[in-house]
Amino acid sequence: MTTRYRVEYALKTHRRDQLIEWIKGLLAVPFVLHSQPTAIYQEHGEGLKSVAADTHLRYAEIMRDVENLMLDHIHHHERNAPGKSKLNLLVPTVGTFFTQLYLEDAFKYQDQQRFISRRRFVAPSFNDIRLILNSAQLLGLVRSSEVQLVTFDGDVTLYDDGACLTADNIVIPRILRLLQQDRKVGIVTAAGYTEAPKYYERLQGLLDAMHYSTVLTTAQKQGLIVMGGESNFLFRYDPTSEARLAYVPRDEWLLEEMRAWSDNDITQLLDIAESALRACADNLSLPAAVLRKDRAVGVYPVNGVRINREQLEETVLVVQNTVQRSTVGSRLPFCAFNGGNDVFVDIGDKSWGVRACQQYFGGIDPSKTLHVGDQFLSAGANDFKARLASTTAWIASPAETVELLDELEKAVHSK
Ligand code: IMP
Ligand code: MG
């Protein structure tokens, strides 16, 4: 029977971020009480400005209160205190924070960028809060820690969905800047290829820029790695290879727990995922073909057609549920996600991918790692799992990644 709960779950929960929704709800109160849409007709200039100033103060106060709740949540974890933190009671799905989040200052910064408190008709939105959280995270990394490793998702984060990192991409000088500052960089992408030339094809602009850079030292160039298939194939920068990358054998980088992932289990899990994908493709009449790889299986559209969002989401949820309910799915980590116009199931997930990068560079702490990605919904999104391994920033386009990196640079300088 399809209960109301199931309908709500299937339709909504996986498409909402509870923490962001909760903060949005808190800010909606002063918006309703103070925004005074009629003031726009009755008053001009100074009158409107004082309403905005008042609203700004109220929003800032709320953000300070949330910041303190988060701090209490962090201390609760550090002390191993019994029961749930107050924030955990208010937002049951909230995870752990690796650094303090400076929400009040982040709000003040984003209010200058986005004029949130000047708005009379449009309440603080999901995107406003997502960007405030990103800024708060950057401040947290810079003030209470330091950034030693930045990992980037590929599609939508560094370049448009399905595109390549070409030489004209303005993110390239920002990534080179990170390397020049002796920070490490990992590209942690779902795109899973076993050969370096395939990644060179996708990342050529960046790899060539590194190759020809006279500013970066040899050691700084070694600060770039590519983790493909979420957590399956590792490549390091290699100036002697034509593809500028060299495959790193698994025994040189696997985490201890990953060594227990048996080939048998991997095949079994992919078999289950593949049959679920085929059943979905059939049931939903998807204009798609099934692609089975070493460490992944997916459906992708044939002849460049688009699969609609509902079909993609249905497919992800069906496959996710099917694999999760299987015995092998309970012992082997996997990640089923909606890639925008395809659905893939990968062995492992980005929490393993980011952790492996941290270990590869000598054991970088989660509080000194930032993962930048576009997929942070709780189901059908692959960057979400990185939250278990590092601090994160949720961007919505490659342009936002560039802004974020410039904001980080400003924060470092004004420390
Ligand atoms: P990401 O955004 O960089 O994580 O890349 C995700 C996209 O990579 C997917 O939407 C697929 O189009 C593509 N892709 C290619 N090979 C694989 C694979 O083996 N697993 C998952 N995604 C893949
Ligand atoms: Mg992406």
Side-chain angles (χ1 to χ4, degrees), residues 337-400:
F337 75 102
N338 169 356
N341 198 27
D342 51 35
V343 172
F344 269 89
V345 178
D346 288 309
I347 299 298
D349 60 48
K350 290 198 184 185
S351 69
W352 297 96
V354 171
R355 276 195 209 108
C357 294
Q358 289 166 335
Q359 175 175 275
Y360 182 83
F361 288 122
I364 295 177
D365 198 73
S367 68
K368 295 178 169 41
T369 310
L370 172 69
H371 177 76
V372 186
D374 66 296
Q375 292 215 346
F376 282 100
L377 292 173
S378 62
N382 64 352
D383 294 302
F384 177 74
K385 286 283 181 158
R387 283 195 182 147
L388 297 170
S390 66
T391 74
T392 55
W394 184 349
I395 54 78
S397 66
E400 276 194 14

Side-chain angles (χ1 to χ4, degrees), residues 21-59:
E21 294 301 321
W22 176 69
I23 297 174
K24 210 169 106 179
L26 295 178
L27 297 182
V29 177
F31 174 77
V32 170
L33 297 179
H34 293 270
S35 67
Q36 303 185 14
T38 53
I40 216 151
Y41 307 113
Q42 292 159 0
E43 295 180 52
H44 300 284
E46 292 315 303
L48 265 183
K49 279 203 182 116
S50 89
V51 173
D54 202 23
T55 312
H56 173 91
L57 284 179
R58 306 268 165 172
Y59 288 165

Side-chain angles (χ1 to χ4, degrees), residues 235-248:
F235 294 83
R236 61 177 173 77
Y237 178 77
D238 178 5
T240 64
S241 143
E242 246 177 65
R244 319 250 188 262
L245 290 170
Y247 180 75
V248 186

Side-chain angles (χ1 to χ4, degrees), residues 129-143:
I129 294 156
R130 178 176 60 77
L131 291 168
I132 293 169
L133 283 167
N134 286 352
S135 297
Q137 183 57 79
L138 292 183
L139 294 175
L141 278 161
V142 170
R143 290 180 188 172

Side-chain angles (χ1 to χ4, degrees), residues 220-394:
Q220 286 168 338
K221 291 182 185 181
Q222 295 303 323
L224 179 103
I225 54 178
V226 178
M227 175 64 81
E230 324 272 0
S231 53
N232 285 300
F233 313 103
L234 185 68
F235 294 83
R236 61 177 173 77
Y237 178 77
D238 178 5
T240 64
S241 143
E242 246 177 65
R244 319 250 188 262
L245 290 170
Y247 180 75
V248 186
R250 286 209 174 99
D251 57 346
E252 287 179 31
W253 63 266
L254 280 189
L255 299 168
E256 212 40 55
E257 301 96 311
M258 294 168 96
R259 295 182 195 275
W261 300 357
S262 77
D263 285 346
N264 227 340
D265 276 2
I266 290 171
T267 312
Q268 215 183 317
L269 191 144
L270 293 177
D271 283 348
I272 295 169
E274 182 176 338
S275 65
L277 285 173
R278 285 191 189 281
C280 269
D282 189 36
N283 181 37
L284 300 173
S285 192
L286 299 180
V290 172
L291 177 67
R292 176 79 179 246
K293 295 182 164 185
D294 241 26
R295 293 281 177 124
V297 58
V299 281
Y300 67 98
V302 280
N303 304 329
V305 292
R306 286 209 71 82
I307 308 177
N308 70 43
R309 198 190 66 203
E310 290 78 1
Q311 287 176 313
L312 291 167
E313 289 189 359
E314 172 73 12
T315 307
V316 170
L317 292 172
V318 167
V319 177
Q320 163 95 27
N321 270 291
T322 311
V323 180
Q324 215 158 33
R325 276 189 285 108
S326 70
T327 336
V328 62
S330 61
R331 58 174 184 259
L332 185 63
F334 69 97
C335 176
F337 75 102
N338 169 356
N341 198 27
D342 51 35
V343 172
F344 269 89
V345 178
D346 288 309
I347 299 298
D349 60 48
K350 290 198 184 185
S351 69
W352 297 96
V354 171
R355 276 195 209 108
C357 294
Q358 289 166 335
Q359 175 175 275
Y360 182 83
F361 288 122
I364 295 177
D365 198 73
S367 68
K368 295 178 169 41
T369 310
L370 172 69
H371 177 76
V372 186
D374 66 296
Q375 292 215 346
F376 282 100
L377 292 173
S378 62
N382 64 352
D383 294 302
F384 177 74
K385 286 283 181 158
R387 283 195 182 147
L388 297 170
S390 66
T391 74
T392 55
W394 184 349

